């Protein structure tokens, strides 16, 4: 949202007010916050205090390593919800707060981060830096904090007609030379966001359009800090795209609050972000099994489902979760929670039979109710649907005819919706795909909780939706057994895993876009993520070569799902059932078998990722190697946990170029060693890709031939020591999430005897 024609002039019909100086500073009673009075003109004498606006800037120390900044124009303006659910695990104590004042500056320190406000000059100057003095992080300098009115009032009296004005608050943090910015949700555009304008506004349009289903108001800087913008409202960001040396954050309203979190490492930044918005939830080991979907708009029935599952089984391809997508319900009836009886005469019996071949069953739901279904009339009569201001139910023909939107601000509507889910659980459903929920109207609507701001509900609705379904799953199956597959998200929804990337095009570019999206979402505290293997946004299927490359990438994400649009992307439909060693079926069988073997490592890394608020996969290289400048620009490769590097192949020829940071890296397939740092080129068939194990790694693998996801991770396993050093340790978790034991390398550089391991083999790489 650009308000200026240049650094000097406001845009046509736009009124701007900047904090020009810090006139006075007061300290809050508890000694943990400052309040700055900032006039929008220089106050050389008392007469200058007349007929001018001021901005109030409150700077606080919410917990060690974090500083909050709230800018307000008119303090009397209401601040309606919804508000993000902060500190879900309780707010940590602030133990290390200091405020020091002198004639020339005031400093507030919150553990490892400090802010200094200059008071000796008429220039506005606030700087944020590491308390130990090692680095300045960012700043708020001249003309960096202000408000804008559109159109510009000609005199102060006109602000009485504020409803006719668009009033916005903005701040502009400094962007240093060489600084790069990451995160902001599942964004498939540039990995480094510098130079881009981004709107945080959940939208339905496919990831290739620069829009996002998952808009997260949080970003990480390469200078060792992160910023969380504390509002679910529409946020406009100009990241070096307006004024090249600044990041402008703009929201419509009278106030803007954000937190600056000091690392200095990106891992530490994510830990602090998860203090604010919550840690990712734990998930069961069965959820890591490969998923198979019917396809989002496919026409299928009981016979089709049976043929898909039996076809996978006959080709030695394991299926962990089978996903009934969309048309398990009748056309024009989404979402009435009722199986189409013509297609599925006995859903409960079918699901029971299906579980003889797959581990779990998932169905796709959404928060929209079609008027063609009786469920619409029931929900409408009880006041469960979002209404217009005149009392009409808000309806649209988007996706299904005359849909109404479930109003989750109504407790009775929530209770009813959960009861519908219970009927699905009773039929044998184990998991839920929370589809849609990203397109919520903001004009001419009134929520059951009437004071709520409709614009803020646009992004926040995803949090309510996933939270309600996730907690219903927890009530049904247990706290750590709940699994949903969410499409839309907002800050805090990392607490309700898994999140799946959606609507990628079946092209190499689409696969690359998906990787950038997964990397960006992972840098917002999301531990678990999956991609639509093969792409799903168009009616066509990917060419066989791309499908096989996508299998390798998708099955090395934290979670995996074969998903198409008009049909299920099973391998024999892609290449005419090529039975050769390089055919789609054999390639898929190999990658699902490898995934099963990796489960002791994957599941142990999952537990540690949740604790630290880190992505299991896709984990950006910069998280593991923050001191390597190259790793801050790598958007075509990632880490699977802390020890395995993955570089997907995008070329039909199998050629691939990738980067290895400093150290010895061992090829997982050949055991050949490469020394980093450096760029390398390789060529791969479809059953391999660059998969390198980091030095000093203890890697536990399941036995050869294992096809299951859930098994005893301490029995009949293979322990591989990759250039390990004495004292190296690794925690092994069991398939129920319990600690099975600690693996340790002894002084002789061999594994210390571990009684908890049974029938193991040890390989020294």
């Amino acid at each position: 949202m650009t308000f200026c024609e240049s650094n000097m002039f406001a845009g046509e019909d736009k009124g701007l007010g900047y904090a020009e100086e810090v006139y006075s500073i007061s300290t809050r009673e508890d000694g943990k916050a400052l309040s700055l009075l900032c006039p929008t003109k220089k106050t050389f004498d008392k007469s200058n205090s007349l007929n001018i606006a001021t901005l109030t800037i409150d700077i606080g120390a919410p917990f060690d390593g974090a500083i909050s900044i709230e800018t307000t124009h008119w303090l009397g303006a209401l601040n309606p919800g919804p508000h993000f659910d902060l500190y879900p695990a309780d707010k940590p104590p602030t133990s290390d707060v200091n405020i020091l004042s002198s004639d020339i500056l005031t400093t507030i320190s919150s553990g490892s981060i400090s802010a200094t406000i200059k008071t000796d000059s008429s220039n506005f100057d606030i700087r944020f830096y590491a308390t130990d003095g090692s680095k300045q992080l960012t700043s708020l300098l001249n003309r960096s904090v202000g408000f804008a009115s559109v159109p510009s009032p000609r005199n102060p009296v006109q602000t009485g007609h504020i409803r006719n004005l668009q009033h916005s608050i903005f701040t502009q943090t400094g962007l240093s030379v060489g600084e790069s910015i990451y995160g902001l949700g599942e964004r498939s555009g540039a990995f480094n966001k510098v130079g881009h304008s981004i709107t945080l506004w959940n939208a339905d349009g496919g990831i290739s359009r620069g829009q996002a289903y998952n808009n997260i108001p949080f970003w990480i800087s390469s200078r060792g800090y992160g910023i969380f913008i504390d509002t679910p409202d529409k946020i406009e960001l100009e990241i070096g795209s307006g004024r090249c040396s600044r990041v402008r954050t703009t929201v419509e309203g009278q106030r803007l609050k954000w937190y600056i979190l000091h690392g200095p490492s990106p891992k530490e930044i994510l830990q602090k972000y998860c203090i604010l918005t919550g840690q990712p939830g734990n998930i069961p080991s069965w959820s890591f099994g490969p998923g198979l979907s019917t396809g989002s708009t496919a026409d299928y029935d009981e016979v089709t489902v049976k043929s898909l599952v039996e076809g996978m089984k006959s080709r030695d391809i394991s299926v962990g979760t089978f996903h009934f997508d969309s048309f398990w319900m009748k056309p024009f009836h989404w979402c009435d929670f009722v199986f189409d009886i013509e297609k599925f005469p006995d859903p409960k019996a079918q699901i029971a039979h299906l579980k003889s071949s797959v581990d779990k069953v998932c169905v796709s739901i959404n928060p929209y109710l079609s008027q063609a279904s009786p469920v619409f009339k029931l929900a409408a009569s009880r006041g469960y649907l979002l209404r217009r201001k005149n009392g009409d139910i808000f309806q649209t023909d988007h996706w299904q005819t005359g849909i109404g939107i479930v109003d989750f601000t109504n407790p009775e509507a929530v209770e009813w919706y959960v009861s519908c889910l219970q009927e699905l659980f009773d039929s044998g459903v184990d998991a839920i795909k929370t589809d849609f929920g990203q397109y919520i109207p903001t004009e001419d609507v009134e929520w059951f909780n009437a004071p709520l701001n409709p614009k803020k509900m646009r992004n926040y609705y995803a949090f309510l939706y996933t939270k309600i379904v996730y907690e219903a799953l927890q009530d049904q199956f247990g706290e750590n057994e709940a699994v949903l597959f969410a499409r839309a998200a907002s800050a805090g929804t990392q607490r309700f895993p898994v999140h799946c990337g959606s609507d990628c095009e079946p092209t190499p570019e689409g696969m690359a876009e998906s990787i950038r999206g997964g990397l960006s979402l992972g840098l917002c505290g999301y531990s678990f993520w999956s991609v639509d293997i093969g792409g799903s946004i168009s009616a066509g299927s990917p060419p066989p070569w791309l499908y096989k490359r996508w299998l390798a990438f998708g099955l090395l994400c934290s979670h995996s799902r074969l998903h198409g649009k008009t049909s299920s992307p099973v391998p024999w439909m892609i290449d005419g059932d090529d039975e050769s060693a390089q055919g789609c079926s054999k390639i898929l069988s190999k990658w699902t078998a490898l995934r099963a073997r990796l489960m002791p490592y994957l599941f142990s890394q999952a537990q540690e990722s949740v604790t630290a608020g880190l992505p299991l996969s896709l984990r950006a290289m910069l998280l593991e190697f923050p001191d390597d400048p190259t790793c801050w620009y790598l958007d075509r490769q990632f880490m699977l946990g802390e020890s395995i590097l993955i570089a997907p192949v995008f070329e039909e020829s199998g050629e691939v170029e990738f980067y290895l940071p400093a150290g010895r890296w061992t090829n997982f397939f050949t055991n050949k060693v490469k020394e980093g740092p450096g760029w390398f080129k390789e060529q791969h068939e479809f059953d391999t890709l660059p998969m390198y194990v980091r030095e000093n790694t203890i890697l536990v693998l399941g036995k050869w031939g294992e096809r299951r996801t859930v098994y005893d991770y301490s029995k009949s396993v293979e322990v591989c020591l990759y250039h390990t050093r004495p004292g190296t340790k690794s925690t092994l978790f069991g398939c129920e999430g319990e600690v099975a034991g600690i693996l340790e390398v002894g002084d002789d550089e061999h594994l210390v005897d571990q009684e908890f391991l049974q029938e193991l083999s040890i390989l020294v790489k």
Side-chain angles (χ1 to χ4, degrees):
M1 186 180 296
T2 300
F3 301 111
C4 301
E5 297 292 344
S6 67
N7 286 344
M8 297 178 62
F9 302 109
E12 184 177 356
D13 203 27
K14 294 179 175 66
L16 298 176
Y18 294 101
E20 295 286 358
E21 65 180 11
V22 177
Y23 182 79
S24 64
I25 301 178
S26 58
T27 303
R28 199 169 65 189
E29 288 184 3
D30 64 3
K32 295 182 179 180
L34 301 171
S35 185
L36 284 55
L37 181 63
C38 304
T40 54
K41 291 182 181 178
K42 308 285 187 181
T43 54
F44 300 106
D45 56 49
K46 291 183 179 180
S47 66
N48 297 133
S49 67
L50 302 176
N51 297 315
I52 64 169
T54 62
L55 289 159
T56 301
I57 303 176
D58 295 310
I59 302 178
F63 59 90
D64 291 347
I67 285 179
S68 62
I69 302 92
E70 183 169 24
T71 301
T72 309
H73 179 198
W74 287 340
L75 295 172
L78 297 176
N79 187 20
H83 304 292
F84 287 131
D85 181 19
L86 301 187
Y87 306 109
D90 295 328
K91 185 176 180 178
T94 307
S95 58
D96 192 12
V97 179
N98 290 296
I99 295 178
L100 300 174
S101 297
S102 70
D103 293 337
I104 60 173
L105 54 84
T106 297
T107 298
I108 179 171
S109 298
S110 177
S112 65
I113 188 172
S114 296
T116 294
I117 304 103
K118 287 190 176 181
T119 55
D120 66 330
S121 70
S122 59
N123 288 324
F124 186 85
D125 191 318
I126 302 175
R127 298 175 190 262
F128 303 92
Y129 58 93
T131 300
D132 62 10
S134 59
K135 180 183 288 187
Q136 178 175 307
L137 305 176
T138 188
S139 59
L140 293 169
L141 301 179
N142 180 47
R143 293 198 164 194
S144 62
V145 179
F147 65 85
S149 296
V150 183
S152 175
R154 292 188 297 275
N155 61 67
V157 177
Q158 284 190 316
T159 58
H161 305 289
I162 191 68
R163 287 195 180 96
N164 300 322
L165 302 177
Q166 181 188 21
H167 185 282
S168 301
I169 294 283
F170 59 83
T171 60
Q172 295 187 101
T173 51
L175 192 61
S176 300
V177 175
E179 185 174 357
S180 45
I181 302 296
Y182 305 90
L184 297 172
E186 188 189 42
R187 318 207 75 84
S188 57
F191 181 43
N192 174 12
K193 307 301 187 289
V194 172
H196 294 264
S197 296
I198 292 173
T199 301
L200 300 182
W201 193 237
N202 283 4
D204 187 5
I207 64 172
S208 64
R209 296 180 180 271
Q211 297 173 325
Y213 305 115
N214 306 298
N215 287 273
I216 313 300
F218 172 71
W219 46 268
I220 286 177
S221 165
S222 59
R223 287 189 68 82
Y225 70 93
I227 286 184
F228 168 60
I229 308 163
D230 186 15
T231 179
D233 210 340
K234 186 175 186 178
I235 301 170
E236 303 279 0
L237 292 167
E238 295 174 85
I239 309 171
S241 60
R243 188 168 177 182
C244 297
S245 60
R246 292 184 177 180
V247 178
R248 180 197 288 265
T249 302
T250 304
V251 296
E252 190 173 345
Q254 294 289 334
R255 56 176 54 82
L256 167 60
K257 185 175 184 178
W258 44 267
Y259 296 78
I260 179 168
L261 311 174
H262 180 236
S265 74
K267 284 186 177 181
E268 292 170 295
I269 297 169
L270 277 179
Q271 287 178 328
K272 291 183 174 68
Y273 172 69
C274 287
I275 289 174
L276 276 170
T277 61
Q279 289 182 321
N282 282 299
I283 54 175
S285 52
W286 63 257
S287 72
F288 289 82
L292 173 63
S293 165
T294 58
S296 59
T297 61
D299 183 13
Y300 64 95
D301 56 16
E302 184 175 343
V303 174
T304 308
V305 171
K306 183 179 179 180
S307 69
L308 294 175
V309 172
E310 289 182 350
M312 298 287 275
K313 188 175 182 179
S314 68
R315 292 166 175 82
D316 196 24
I317 302 168
S318 61
V319 177
T321 301
F322 187 85
H323 295 258
F324 286 86
D325 215 309
S326 299
F327 280 113
W328 61 275
M329 297 172 283
K330 290 177 64 175
F332 299 114
H333 277 227
W334 303 356
C335 171
D336 62 1
F337 308 98
V338 178
F339 275 85
D340 183 347
I341 299 302
E342 292 183 5
K343 301 284 188 177
F344 307 98
D346 190 347
K348 188 171 184 178
Q350 185 204 359
I351 290 173
H353 177 73
L354 197 59
K355 288 184 180 180
S356 64
S357 300
V358 304
D359 296 328
K360 303 290 180 178
V361 168
C362 174
V363 297
S364 172
I365 66 169
N366 61 68
Y368 310 145
L369 308 184
S370 168
Q371 69 179 15
S373 170
V375 76
F376 176 90
K377 292 181 180 178
L378 183 150
S381 67
R382 296 180 180 178
Y384 295 163
L385 301 179
L386 178 62
R387 292 186 178 274
R388 295 185 183 273
K389 290 181 179 180
N390 67 357
D392 289 347
I393 291 172
F394 187 98
Q395 289 183 264
T396 175
D397 291 325
H398 185 55
W399 288 107
Q400 293 284 277
T401 180
I403 63 163
I405 300 171
V406 178
D407 186 345
F408 288 127
T409 73
N410 182 344
E412 292 185 5
V414 172
E415 184 178 355
W416 169 78
Y417 198 83
V418 170
S419 71
C420 296
L421 298 179
Q422 184 61 53
E423 293 181 18
L424 294 176
F425 301 150
D426 292 342
S427 70
V429 170
D430 307 284
I432 299 290
K433 178 186 175 185
T434 50
D435 209 351
F436 301 101
Q438 70 278 350
Y439 183 77
I440 303 300
T442 61
E443 302 294 331
D444 190 30
V445 295
E446 184 170 273
W447 294 87
F448 176 83
N449 187 349
L452 293 177
N453 183 329
K455 286 188 63 181
K456 291 182 180 179
M457 283 297 295
R458 171 73 167 237
N459 290 339
Y460 191 77
Y461 189 87
F463 178 86
L464 281 181
Y465 175 30
T466 51
K467 181 176 186 287
I468 289 164
V469 176
Y470 188 75
E471 290 179 348
L473 287 160
Q474 286 183 314
D475 290 342
Q476 177 69 24
F477 300 111
E479 182 178 356
N480 295 323
E481 291 294 316
V483 177
L484 57 75
F485 297 88
R487 182 173 185 175
S490 188
T493 53
Q494 70 271 9
R495 293 158 49 188
F496 320 122
V498 172
H499 286 79
C500 47
S502 298
D503 291 349
C504 41
E505 294 180 338
T507 62
E509 295 78 13
M511 188 166 78
E513 289 169 358
S514 294
I515 291 177
R516 294 194 296 271
L519 290 171
S520 295
L521 190 65
L523 289 171
C524 296
Y526 287 75
S527 288
F528 307 114
W529 180 83
S530 74
V531 65
D532 291 344
I533 294 176
S536 65
I537 200 170
S538 70
S541 298
W545 75 265
L546 178 60
Y547 176 82
K548 289 181 280 189
R549 297 299 182 196
W550 212 312
L551 290 175
F553 157 48
L555 285 157
L556 292 170
C557 297
S558 79
H559 288 72
S560 303
R561 183 177 68 140
L562 295 167
H563 182 61
K565 188 164 188 178
T566 57
S567 64
S568 179
V570 287
W572 58 91
M573 293 184 183
I574 300 295
D575 64 358
D577 205 9
D578 180 354
E579 297 181 359
S580 70
Q582 291 294 309
C584 289
S585 294
K586 288 293 196 318
I587 294 302
L588 177 54
S589 177
K590 179 164 184 175
W591 285 111
T592 54
L594 174 60
R595 185 174 180 83
R597 284 199 75 210
L598 284 170
M599 275 305 300
Y601 170 77
L602 274 177
F603 198 57
S604 294
Q605 286 289 300
Q607 312 313 305
E608 296 179 2
S609 296
V610 164
T611 300
L614 298 174
L616 171 59
S617 172
L618 309 180
R619 183 175 296 186
M621 297 292 296
L622 62 88
L623 283 169
E624 291 298 329
F625 306 96
D627 296 328
D628 185 335
T630 300
C631 288
W632 289 83
Y633 295 92
L634 299 175
D635 63 358
R636 297 192 303 276
Q637 62 186 70
F638 56 90
M639 297 294 292
L640 174 57
E642 65 181 359
S643 297
I644 300 179
L645 183 150
I646 306 295
V649 180
F650 299 93
E651 299 292 336
E652 185 173 5
S653 65
E655 295 178 353
V656 57
E657 186 174 19
F658 59 96
Y659 177 81
L660 297 177
R664 287 176 293 182
W665 294 83
T666 304
N667 186 306
F668 179 85
F669 299 104
T670 67
N671 289 326
K672 292 182 179 180
V673 177
K674 283 183 166 62
E675 193 82 25
W679 286 90
F680 300 89
K681 290 183 178 180
E682 292 179 355
Q683 189 158 356
H684 287 261
E685 296 293 336
F686 295 112
D687 53 359
T688 62
L689 51 53
M691 181 172 174
Y692 279 83
V693 184
R694 192 177 183 176
E695 67 179 9
N696 204 34
T697 291
I698 302 173
L699 182 62
V700 182
L701 300 171
K703 63 184 178 183
W704 284 98
E706 183 62 71
R707 288 293 190 271
R708 299 169 298 166
T709 300
V710 183
Y711 55 90
D712 189 340
Y713 300 151
S714 60
K715 184 177 180 180
S716 301
V717 295
E718 187 177 283
V719 181
C720 304
L721 307 181
Y722 287 88
H723 305 289
T724 51
R725 297 184 287 272
T728 298
K729 295 182 179 181
S730 179
T731 302
L732 180 66
F733 288 81
C735 64
E736 298 296 325
E738 78 286 2
V739 175
I742 308 295
L743 299 165
E744 182 177 0
V745 177
D747 293 335
D748 60 355
E749 300 186 6
H750 288 77
L751 194 68
V752 175
D753 290 339
Q754 303 291 335
E755 294 182 358
F756 68 90
L757 293 176
Q758 307 172 47
E759 304 173 23
L760 77 154
S761 58
I762 301 175
L763 301 177
V764 179
K765 303 291 186 178

